Structures are given as structure tokens and as C-alpha cells.
């Protein structure tokens, strides 16, 4: 499903439909971190689903994607550095699908630093310290999807 998701992400970027990430001012150095939310902490962004029906149809197949955290296209401009930070809890796992991923764009989670593989996913517990750089001259784009940590049972998910 990568090609269909990529086409919609590039259309969103080309049409300048992204907003500045809510944590841009706190975490971003030079550059801008932009977002196009599908879900954010239980809120559904209906217009964004309508704009990206293919991506939305794929997301609908993922259990808990609507309430486990945040799901969005993330675009980081050239030169950006997202400072080291940690997510607030470990009850979710964060998935990054590499959409436009220059080799000079890197993510560090704990002690491992790597570029995003285009068309592939990186999955990590974002309660571990992580940071991002884009040393390229292209905008880096990933689809971020939060899902429930698979160690949780159904009762724990219901409580959360």
C-alpha cells in the first residue's frame, strides 16, 4: 500500500495542507516540523480522512489507531534537528512508515541511529529517548501511526 499512501502524502505537501506540529517550538531547532493529522488522542480529523481516502482506508484496518495516540503525516524541512525527547508513557508503540527518506535524514532511538527505509516501517517505544535530524536538502516525510503496546491485555486497553 506504500505507493498509494505516498501519492496522498505528496499531494498534501504540494497543496500546503500541513500545519506546524504542536511541539515544533519546544523541540525543533532550525527548520519546521509539519503535520497532517488523521487522529490525535481520540479526535478524528474528518477533512483529512476525506482528503486521503486511500490512507484512511488502510488506517481503518489497524486496531486502536483512532485512540492509541497520534496518527499523522510528518514532514521535516531540510536542516531541522528535533531535540532529544521522550514520549509520556509506554502503553503505545510508534510506527514510522518512510515515505520520502533521504539517507541524510536520521532518527536516533536510545543508542541506535539510522535513516528511515523508504516504503518500510520502523517501530519503537517512544518512551525511550529519541531525536531526529534532516541533514539533506529535501523534506523528509513519514507516516506516524501509534498503536497499542502488544503487552497490554484487553482490560488494560479498555481502562486506557
Amino acid at each position: 500500500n506504500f505507493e498509494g499512501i505516498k501519492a496522498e502524502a505528496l499531494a498534501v505537501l504540494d497543496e500546503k495542507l500541513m500545519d506546524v506540529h504542536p511541539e515544533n517550538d519546544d523541540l525543533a531547532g532550525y527548520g519546521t516540523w509539519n503535520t497532517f493529522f488523521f487522529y490525535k488522542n481520540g479526535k478524528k480529523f474528518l477533512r483529512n480522512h476525506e482528503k486521503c481516502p486511500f490512507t484512511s482506508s488502510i488506517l481503518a484496518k489497524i486496531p486502536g489507531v483512532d485512540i492509541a495516540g497520534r496518527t499523522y503525516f510528518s514532514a521535516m524541512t531540510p536542516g531541522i534537528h528535533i531535540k532529544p525527547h521522550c514520549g509520556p508513557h509506554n502503553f503505545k508503540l510508534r510506527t514510522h512508515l518512510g515515505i520520502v527518506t533521504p539517507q541524510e535524514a536520521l532518527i536516533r532511538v536510545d543508542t541506535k541511529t539510522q535513516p528511515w527505509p523508504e516504503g518500510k516501517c520502523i517501530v519503537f517505544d517512544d518512551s525511550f529517548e529519541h531525536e531526529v535530524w534532516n541533514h539533506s536538502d529535501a523534506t523528509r516525510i513519514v507516516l506516524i501511526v501509534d498503536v497499542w503496546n502488544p503487552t497490554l491485555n484487553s482490560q488494560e486497553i479498555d481502562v486506557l
Side-chain angles (χ1 to χ4, degrees):
N1 298 301
F2 168 68
E3 292 300 331
I5 294 169
K6 180 177 181 177
E8 289 182 343
L10 292 175
V12 165
L13 187 68
D14 288 345
E15 295 174 32
K16 299 179 178 21
L17 299 176
M18 292 193 168
D19 295 315
V20 175
H21 191 285
E23 296 165 356
N24 183 79
D25 292 346
D26 294 332
L27 295 176
Y30 173 82
T32 305
W33 182 9
N34 292 305
T35 60
F36 184 84
F37 280 101
F38 293 97
Y39 298 101
K40 183 179 176 188
N41 305 326
K43 178 182 177 187
K44 183 175 184 177
F45 289 73
L46 188 56
R47 285 187 182 148
N48 293 356
H49 282 269
E50 291 168 354
K51 179 66 183 166
C52 300
F54 183 80
T55 302
S56 183
S57 71
I58 300 303
L59 294 174
K61 298 175 184 180
I62 302 171
V65 72
D66 56 336
I67 56 173
R70 297 176 173 184
T71 298
Y72 58 99
F73 289 133
S74 169
M76 294 184 172
T77 60
I80 198 167
H81 173 224
I82 302 299
K83 299 172 192 169
H85 62 286
C86 300
H89 44 69
N90 66 352
F91 62 70
K92 70 175 187 307
L93 295 181
R94 180 151 282 180
T95 303
H96 286 199
L97 169 64
I99 297 174
V100 177
T101 58
Q103 286 297 304
E104 301 86 1
L106 303 168
I107 183 169
R108 177 187 64 81
V109 178
D110 196 23
T111 61
K112 184 174 182 178
T113 301
Q114 69 178 65
W116 288 265
E118 188 168 299
K120 305 281 184 195
C121 293
I122 296 172
V123 180
F124 63 98
D125 177 342
D126 86 332
S127 70
F128 286 90
E129 184 179 82
H130 55 286
E131 66 184 311
V132 173
W133 302 266
N134 184 359
H135 297 299
S136 78
D137 59 0
T139 297
R140 186 242 48 187
I141 306 170
V142 298
L143 172 63
I144 295 177
V145 179
D146 287 342
V147 296
W148 294 117
N149 188 318
T151 63
L152 296 174
N153 64 42
S154 59
Q155 283 182 306
E156 291 168 324
I157 289 171
D158 288 344
V159 169
L160 291 168

